[in-house]
Amino acid sequence: MALGRVFHYGNPDPIPNDRMELGWGHHPPSEKCKAGHKGVIEASRVLVGDFIKQGKSVILSSEYFGSWTTQSAEYLKDVFDGFELRVLVMVRHPLRWAMSLHAQNWRHKRTNEWLSELVDNAVKHQMNRTIATSVDSLNQFVEVIGPAQTFVGSLDGIIAAHYAPDQGILQKFCGVDPDKVVSAHSNASPSHYALEMIHFLSEFAGKKLLRWPRYDRQMADFEEDLQRFSDTLGEECWQCHDYADDFAPAEYAFQRAVDETGATELFFDEEKDVEQARYYPLGSLVICHGDAKKLAADKPRAKQILAEIDAFKQKWG
């Protein structure tokens, strides 16, 4: 895996290392850095060495693979010279990756783009740029560490095989019994429906509504309140489409791009026919959007929606 947060198999909790995450991630190693570099990098090597001496394997993980170059991968190999090094790059369907990024930006008010528009634009362009970005760092590690030591796995594949992501990786990549591992906490996110609905209601009412509940435990209640709006809007003003079959060209292009890297593909479903397996299908993806003009023209329905929005705002802010 990429470098950053340090784990060992005997304890699912990470070793406290906030500086290490920053050192490996936000600033990829420069040409001047060497294995003897003091500070964050040296600390990670010492930690790994200590656990290796105890007969333990170590996982180092980070979300910053996308910014790494060939020279960065060479630095990684240099720092851990003498250790058995394997890299697992986890990828997602290009659209789901883009939608996840959109959700993060929406939460932190870094975007006002409609989710439905993002998906429609993706259909037109079939994610060509995103596909290239997704496999770029994979190529760097294959070049430096070799295809036999560089693995690529699919988050969609883990989910399809009914694994929690961390447990699937530990079992299939590390050979650890997942029943002995405490599953890591995952952050709750609003559904695609909720992201589009809250955007539509805010625009229609001309009011700023809460984009994201403050606590994860509030997510189910937040979603339930938003679901009620579709009943009032009806199919005339709230239309949905399943994009499951709209990204077949992108999926085949993505599979070809992954295959061309030469990396070893890690499958999570043993019943899959490896020759036919496609771990990058979108699957069912229902995206909805509202029609503000039709809603405005339906005076009684619009009045009811505005009243419901006021109640929602009073509850959620």
Side-chain angles (χ1 to χ4, degrees):
M1 293 185 176
L3 270 272
R5 218 167 283 280
V6 178
F7 299 77
H8 65 91
Y9 293 168
N11 183 350
D13 295 323
I15 299 168
N17 53 14
D18 293 337
R19 289 188 307 111
M20 193 177 299
E21 176 77 12
L22 293 174
W24 283 113
H26 288 300
H27 305 288
S30 67
E31 294 180 1
K32 296 181 181 179
C33 292
K34 298 296 179 183
H37 178 69
K38 300 298 181 182
V40 171
I41 309 305
E42 182 63 22
S44 63
R45 181 176 172 83
V46 170
L47 283 170
V48 170
D50 288 344
F51 284 115
I52 293 292
K53 290 176 184 177
Q54 299 174 37
K56 298 176 179 178
S57 297
V58 178
I59 301 173
L60 304 120
S61 67
S62 178
E63 296 184 359
Y64 301 110
F65 252 151
S67 61
W68 278 45
T69 64
T70 299
Q71 182 250 314
S72 301
E74 289 172 345
Y75 179 60
L76 168 65
K77 185 178 180 181
D78 184 26
V79 168
F80 293 104
D81 182 42
F83 296 123
E84 180 187 358
L85 180 64
R86 295 189 302 160
V87 171
L88 171 61
V89 181
M90 293 300 298
V91 296
R92 303 182 70 173
H93 186 286
L95 178 62
R96 291 197 181 277
W97 177 84
M99 293 173 69
S100 176
L101 182 62
H102 170 85
Q104 293 180 42
N105 289 333
W106 173 260
R107 177 178 188 173
H108 298 292
K109 301 180 180 179
R110 295 193 292 256
T111 184
N112 282 314
E113 181 182 13
W114 291 87
L115 178 62
S116 55
E117 289 183 356
L118 180 151
V119 176
D120 286 338
N121 288 332
V123 173
K124 295 176 183 176
H125 302 291
Q126 286 296 305
M127 312 297 294
N128 292 333
R129 183 176 298 180
T130 305
I131 290 172
T133 301
S134 298
V135 301
D136 185 55
S137 58
L138 183 57
N139 277 310
Q140 317 305 331
F141 285 102
V142 169
E143 179 180 341
V144 174
I145 301 173
Q149 296 300 104
T150 303
F151 295 77
V152 57
S154 164
L155 179 60
D156 307 294
I158 291 181
I159 294 171
H162 307 293
Y163 285 104
D166 54 345
Q167 293 184 330
I169 291 170
L170 287 172
Q171 178 174 340
K172 295 296 184 179
F173 186 63
C174 306
V176 176
D177 183 353
D179 292 335
K180 298 180 180 179
V181 177
V182 178
S183 183
H185 169 74
S186 59
N187 295 324
S189 299
S191 65
H192 307 134
Y193 165 91
L195 292 175
E196 188 74 8
M197 179 62 83
I198 200 71
H199 199 164
F200 176 74
L201 298 175
S202 298
E203 291 289 322
F204 184 76
K207 297 179 180 181
K208 292 183 179 180
L209 303 178
L210 184 71
R211 291 187 172 207
W212 203 286
R214 186 173 183 179
Y215 304 107
D216 285 354
R217 64 176 181 271
Q218 297 174 314
M219 190 65 71
D221 191 24
F222 184 72
E223 288 272 352
E224 185 177 346
D225 286 350
L226 287 173
Q227 288 287 343
R228 297 192 184 102
F229 284 98
S230 62
D231 295 333
T232 305
L233 288 170
E235 294 183 0
E236 301 87 353
C237 302
W238 187 250
Q239 300 172 349
C240 302
H241 174 70
D242 192 338
Y243 287 83
D245 298 325
D246 293 310
F247 286 90
E251 290 157 12
Y252 283 112
F254 190 44
Q255 182 72 62
R256 286 196 301 271
V258 170
D259 291 344
E260 288 171 0
T261 68
T264 303
E265 197 159 14
L266 183 66
F267 291 97
F268 294 88
D269 187 345
E270 295 177 353
E271 297 180 359
K272 280 275 188 179
D273 180 346
V274 176
E275 294 299 322
Q276 301 296 324
R278 289 177 57 239
Y279 266 129
Y280 311 102
L282 182 62
S284 178
L285 178 66
V286 177
I287 301 294
C288 305
H289 67 276
D291 191 323
K293 290 183 178 180
K294 285 186 178 180
L295 178 57
D298 188 338
K299 301 297 183 182
R301 195 191 303 266
K303 183 178 180 180
Q304 183 178 352
I305 282 290
L306 290 172
E308 291 179 11
I309 291 173
D310 287 339
F312 180 87
K313 184 172 177 60
Q314 185 176 3
K315 177 178 179 178
W316 292 101

